[in-house]
Amino acid sequence: MTQHDREPRGNEPIPPRSQDATSQDPTPAPQASVSLRDPAELAEALPYLLGFYPDDSLVVVALHGERGRFGGRLRIGIPDAESGWPAFAPQIAECLDSSSRARGARPDGALIFLCQEPGEGHTGRDVMQRLRPLVQELRRACGNLEIPVYEALCLSDGRYFSYCCPDSRCCPPEGVPLAEASTSAMAVAAAYAGVPMHGSLREMERRLLPLGPPFAEEQTRVLDSVSAELTPRMLSSEGREQVRTETLALLGRLMERFQRCSPTAATQTSQDAHDDGLLSHDEAATAILGLQDRETRDEAAEWMDGADVAPALRLWRALARRCAGPYIAYAAALLTLAGWVAWSGGDVPTARVALGLALRTDPDYLFAQLLHHACNEGLDPKQVRHCLRNESGTEQADGDGEQPGGTEGDAAV
């Protein structure tokens, strides 16, 4: 009996596809449960635990009970500086412990995954060996909190490598090729439960990043022109209110357009190109600049209910891609709205990626901070929607002293 046979392997429930907040369908969706018993099955299951393949990421999964039921999952980029790994590992272990306790129970064990592709001239085994000290620090840090690490895997170059298994018959030094994802037990269970997959983290982020040249140059020029016209108007309360009204009217027209014109292309790239073609440079610039006003942003966020979710997500993604050149920081509002509508519609993986990008764009953007925290804590988005509507009503009654550009307003979310 190998070490893998003795250790708990997650008995992972696959949740049903999330329903829209306004759904009244009383019929429960199917659920499935999958037992994962060896490193190959764990490696194949990783994308289904997160909803996407986590490029360049460290993933730590909490285990609970004798059967190793999967609990909370942490994903973070792998730090480049090896000198920081000894301090980084205890923070991860403490975060896993505290977040699990906050959800009801301390972890009885953990799984570690490191996903990184080799650079030119290197192999997956080279990546595995380079990251070995980080795994050792993580195992030591988890052990100090009495959280044994039952398996640690490196996924690189189409193979997986085990840091824990001493048996070269099942875990040879050259690694083991990953099986086709669509043939795994987790894939079958996810398909049965209607759980969507989003490809890789890099692919998800690409759909939200600014468009490149030559498209970006023309968009930047138009943003400069529209900013010169709108910014002076937003310096007064009356002018700011007029711009808000105009921006919301424009967004309403764009929403109707995106509802009418759904992409039929098979690939995500083609779908996004279709949506990019639905926006003129002037429309995109006016919407982007107008949404820097906090009240405008919050009123736009209130639209996200029921059938509006899919076209709204497409619209916010398309506008985020137009934040080119010196206007990249303006994407924080659009990325936050994309994250909000995705979370509101039950697409938690997309929400986390969009909100994470918003915070990477502007770490101090408070609306993104609050939504990211609420999403990660598993709160009900209906509670956030209720707060937005209550706050909107209060502001209409009390007035607003926000300055144009949204800086002070974001601090007062």
Side-chain angles (χ1 to χ4, degrees):
M1 178 179 293
T2 68
Q3 182 180 3
H4 298 311
D5 294 323
R6 294 194 301 270
E7 292 169 347
R9 295 288 173 247
N11 186 38
E12 172 68 355
I14 304 294
R17 185 194 303 271
S18 299
Q19 299 294 313
D20 291 339
T22 57
S23 174
Q24 300 296 320
D25 183 2
T27 305
Q31 295 194 24
S33 182
V34 179
S35 293
L36 308 174
R37 303 183 182 280
D38 58 44
E41 292 180 345
L42 288 172
E44 294 160 12
L46 178 60
Y48 297 94
L49 301 183
L50 301 175
F52 55 88
Y53 181 79
D55 308 278
D56 296 317
S57 296
L58 162 69
V59 178
V60 185
V61 182
L63 298 176
H64 298 278
E66 293 182 358
R67 300 187 64 191
R69 177 179 54 82
F70 289 170
R73 294 129 220 207
L74 303 178
R75 189 208 64 81
I76 190 169
I78 299 174
D80 293 327
E82 298 181 19
S83 60
W85 289 354
F88 171 76
Q91 296 176 16
I92 296 299
E94 291 167 7
C95 184
L96 182 71
D97 183 54
S98 61
S99 61
S100 296
R101 289 177 185 272
R103 292 171 180 265
R106 72 176 305 277
D108 297 305
L111 301 173
I112 294 174
F113 300 88
L114 293 111
C115 304
Q116 193 170 75
E117 292 306 300
E120 186 176 355
H122 293 274
T123 66
R125 179 169 172 77
D126 294 335
V127 174
M128 183 271 290
Q129 294 287 24
R130 187 181 68 82
L131 296 176
R132 186 181 292 277
L134 174 57
V135 174
Q136 293 171 338
E137 294 289 350
L138 288 166
R139 294 181 72 182
R140 185 179 299 114
C142 289
N144 289 339
L145 297 179
E146 299 183 350
I147 306 173
V149 174
Y150 287 113
E151 183 58 275
L153 297 176
C154 176
L155 280 63
S156 182
D157 201 20
R159 293 174 172 266
Y160 72 82
F161 304 82
S162 173
Y163 291 103
C164 296
C165 179
D167 191 343
S168 60
R169 293 171 299 177
C170 62
C171 296
E174 66 273 15
V176 180
L178 290 165
E180 289 290 333
S182 59
T183 65
S184 69
M186 201 74 162
V188 173
Y192 173 75
V195 176
M197 274 293 297
H198 296 284
S200 71
L201 173 61
R202 190 175 293 113
E203 291 169 345
M204 295 176 72
E205 290 183 339
R206 190 179 299 123
R207 305 189 74 184
L208 296 159
L209 296 177
L211 297 170
F215 198 88
E217 282 82 351
E218 177 63 16
Q219 184 63 73
T220 300
R221 185 190 66 78
V222 177
L223 280 163
D224 288 340
S225 176
V226 174
S227 177
E229 189 272 326
L230 287 186
T231 301
R233 294 176 59 196
M234 296 175 71
L235 293 176
S236 67
S237 297
E238 181 180 356
R240 188 161 64 251
E241 184 62 37
Q242 291 175 345
V243 171
R244 182 177 302 134
T245 300
E246 294 168 4
T247 302
L248 291 171
L250 170 62
L251 290 171
R253 295 193 299 272
L254 294 178
M255 279 286 291
E256 292 178 0
R257 188 183 305 167
F258 274 65
Q259 287 171 333
R260 291 195 314 269
C261 305
S262 298
T264 58
T267 67
Q268 292 181 349
T269 301
S270 298
Q271 292 170 9
D272 292 342
H274 168 275
D275 289 342
D276 292 334
L278 296 179
L279 291 172
S280 71
H281 289 302
D282 286 328
E283 289 171 331
T286 302
I288 289 167
L289 292 163
L291 283 165
Q292 304 311 304
D293 173 73
R294 182 175 68 88
E295 284 192 36
T296 307
R297 180 205 67 194
D298 288 351
E299 287 191 44
E302 290 184 36
W303 295 349
M304 306 311 127
D305 285 316
D308 287 337
V309 165
L313 179 56
R314 290 167 45 219
L315 173 60
W316 301 142
R317 274 197 300 234
L319 287 172
R321 292 193 293 268
R322 297 299 190 99
C323 296
Y327 295 91
I328 289 177
Y330 286 55
L334 288 309
L335 293 166
T336 303
L337 287 168
W340 162 238
V341 70
W343 181 36
S344 179
D347 188 352
V348 175
T350 295
R352 286 174 173 161
V353 170
L355 293 170
L357 274 179
L359 292 174
R360 191 188 308 173
T361 302
D362 183 354
D364 297 323
Y365 201 73
L366 188 56
F367 192 33
Q369 290 177 356
L370 295 176
L371 289 180
H372 194 255
H373 178 75
C375 181
N376 286 335
E377 289 299 314
L379 299 183
D380 189 337
K382 287 188 288 188
Q383 296 174 333
V384 178
R385 186 180 297 110
H386 180 71
C387 291
L388 283 172
R389 287 172 176 166
N390 284 350
E391 181 180 319
S392 177
T394 301
E395 287 172 349
Q396 290 175 6
D398 297 342
D400 176 34
E402 180 188 337
Q403 298 299 314
T407 303
E408 292 187 18
D410 289 331
V413 170

